[in-house]
Amino acid sequence: MQALEKWLARVLLLNSGLALAVSLGLLGAAAPTGDMLLHGVALLGFLAGVLSLRRARFGLWGGALYYSVQLFSYFPHGEGPTFSVKAGVSLGVVMQFANATVVMNAFALVLLAATLAVLWRRRHQTAAAQ
């Protein structure tokens, strides 16, 4: 299981590092300066990736939060508030509705499930050791 934890930490670090580089304008056009949510999520993912490599519990929880924010994007047709955080790699499933388009990030869903499985396993190993 430790190999899976290392792999998840490396993928999180790579994914969030890419998102951080894009949000800061190091790769391509910079994100708008008013989009602090994107910058914050990318920084959270990067710090969580570093902590995950050191096997800190907050690293896994931060990774779970990083992927859960990316899970769904909502784009209404016409006027209305949108919600979209595109921080890192996105492989989406697009669902068209009459009033809006919803995008589910399948990549984030798989990595969120793997991170939660590692957290669950680590919790039960700690409980069994006591």
Side-chain angles (χ1 to χ4, degrees):
M1 196 64 162
Q2 191 173 4
L4 178 61
E5 286 184 45
K6 280 186 178 181
W7 183 84
L8 281 172
R10 288 176 183 150
V11 168
L12 176 61
L13 195 60
L14 179 67
N15 194 7
S16 60
L18 177 65
L20 195 58
V22 169
S23 72
L24 294 175
L26 300 174
L27 297 172
T33 56
D35 196 3
M36 293 306 290
L37 180 63
L38 176 62
H39 299 303
V41 168
L43 186 59
L44 169 74
F46 191 78
L47 291 175
V50 169
L51 289 173
S52 289
L53 282 176
R54 294 181 173 209
R55 296 191 40 94
R57 179 172 287 197
F58 178 74
L60 289 172
W61 284 107
L65 182 61
Y66 174 77
Y67 290 124
S68 61
V69 170
Q70 295 184 55
L71 206 50
F72 289 101
S73 298
Y74 176 79
F75 304 99
H77 300 160
E79 296 296 319
T82 64
F83 175 77
S84 173
V85 177
K86 297 174 185 154
V89 178
S90 180
L91 187 67
V93 176
V94 178
M95 296 169 273
Q96 296 277 344
F97 297 105
N99 296 329
T101 300
V102 177
V103 180
M104 182 188 71
N105 187 347
F107 186 74
L109 180 66
V110 168
L111 291 173
L112 177 64
T115 303
L116 292 175
V118 167
L119 280 168
W120 181 81
R121 172 131 172 132
R122 188 185 272 191
R123 179 179 176 206
H124 285 285
Q125 284 178 343
T126 305
Q130 294 176 356

